[in-house]
Amino acid sequence: DTAVSQTPKYLVTQMGNDKSIKCEQNLGHDTMYWYKQDSKKFLKIMFSYNNKELIINETVPNRFSPKSPDKAHLNLHINSLELGDSAVYFCASSPRDSSYEQYFGPGTRLTVT
Amino acid sequence: AQTVTQSQPEMSVQEAETVTLSCTYDTSESDYYLFWYKQPPSRQMILVIRQEAYKQQNATENRFSVNFQKAAKSFSLKISDSQLGDAAMYFCAYRSALRAQKLVFGQGTRLTINP
């Protein structure tokens, strides 16, 4: 029973392409997130959605566009990929209450060549 | 804005020994939550332990315990009886109870267990 799943787990693409990463959670959580982990392992929030509504957008280039078709899904679309977009992208979910932990997906390693 | 600092990029410990990982944070809020996450080579993020700021008692989960010093804004993780499976990156994280619910992470500490 996978709680938070992401597809694909690995993505290799060329500069200038457009790609999407999909995330699904079966925990019934209200809130979902995208985090980026760079080559130095630093993790930083990108977006957060609560019940399909965007609540956090952290100075992310507008080439990145999250989409939440329903509260169980949060997809990340990236236009015109750049070398600097190479990273591991994590999806996470949690109940709305801040006291609860966030449950992370397995991550998607994006490599832009 | 809240910040989290882990000043030890790397730590190593002998198997069965005890090791302490340091974390400090900066916030003006009084109500928040602190977490330690473990990231093994599989890269899966796994919650190790959680602490509520309003609780004075330090959290404990089996071999893992924290030393939470609210006034000093310090939140260290102690791992007792270290096992080979404890080898991983460890991240300290802060989450506000009041505002947006994002996790703010420290830079991470890579823990090596020597057999």
Side-chain angles (χ1 to χ4, degrees):
Chain A
D1 284 354
T2 303
V4 182
S5 60
Q6 293 179 230
T7 52
K9 289 191 178 155
Y10 298 93
L11 185 53
V12 180
T13 188
Q14 291 184 328
M15 284 175 55
N17 285 348
D18 302 339
K19 290 294 178 185
S20 292
I21 305 171
K22 295 186 176 181
C23 178
E24 177 181 3
Q25 56 97 0
N26 62 6
L27 298 166
H29 291 162
D30 293 323
T31 310
M32 296 185 72
Y33 313 80
W34 279 110
Y35 289 87
K36 179 180 179 181
Q37 186 173 41
D38 63 23
S39 59
K40 295 183 179 179
K41 300 291 188 182
F42 188 64
L43 277 151
K44 189 173 180 189
I45 185 75
M46 298 175 69
F47 300 103
S48 174
Y49 270 74
N50 187 68
N51 271 329
K52 303 194 297 175
E53 178 184 354
L54 180 66
I55 57 173
I56 297 175
N57 183 344
E58 290 270 322
T59 58
V60 177
N62 58 16
R63 297 182 296 103
F64 290 78
S65 54
K67 286 186 172 56
S68 181
D70 55 61
K71 78 172 194 177
H73 295 84
L74 180 62
N75 303 323
L76 183 65
H77 188 75
I78 315 170
N79 289 327
S80 304
L81 278 155
E82 300 177 357
L83 292 177
D85 298 332
S86 295
V88 178
Y89 293 85
F90 284 96
C91 178
S93 74
S94 74
R96 187 179 176 90
D97 187 334
S98 289
S99 66
Y100 289 92
E101 67 176 284
Q102 294 185 9
Y103 293 79
F104 284 79
T108 296
R109 179 176 294 282
L110 171 64
T111 303
V112 183
T113 61
Chain B
Q2 294 84 18
T3 58
V4 178
T5 302
Q6 294 177 248
S7 58
Q8 306 154 317
E10 296 184 352
M11 291 283 284
S12 63
V13 64
Q14 290 295 126
E15 195 176 1
E17 297 291 307
T18 295
V19 64
T20 298
L21 308 184
S22 301
C23 173
T24 58
Y25 58 94
D26 188 29
T27 184
S28 58
E29 297 176 335
S30 59
D31 197 11
Y32 50 86
Y33 302 90
L34 297 165
F35 304 85
W36 278 97
Y37 277 87
K38 168 185 176 180
Q39 186 179 41
S42 67
R43 82 169 180 246
Q44 180 69 51
M45 295 291 288
I46 302 164
L47 178 71
V48 175
I49 201 163
R50 177 181 68 204
Q51 175 77 45
E52 294 89 342
Y54 61 84
K55 286 188 178 179
Q56 291 187 337
Q57 186 174 5
N58 290 324
T60 300
E61 288 287 343
N62 300 315
R63 297 183 295 107
F64 298 87
S65 61
V66 299
N67 184 2
F68 173 50
Q69 302 289 329
K70 191 172 183 179
K73 295 179 183 173
S74 171
F75 182 60
S76 61
L77 175 69
K78 185 170 85 170
I79 306 173
S80 304
D81 185 25
S82 298
Q83 300 176 359
L84 294 177
D86 295 333
M89 285 288 291
Y90 285 82
F91 293 95
C92 179
Y94 171 102
R95 191 179 189 189
S96 169
L98 302 176
R99 292 186 230 138
Q101 299 161 5
K102 64 183 180 181
L103 285 169
V104 178
F105 286 93
Q107 304 92 324
T109 297
R110 182 177 300 280
L111 177 64
T112 302
I113 311 296
N114 300 314

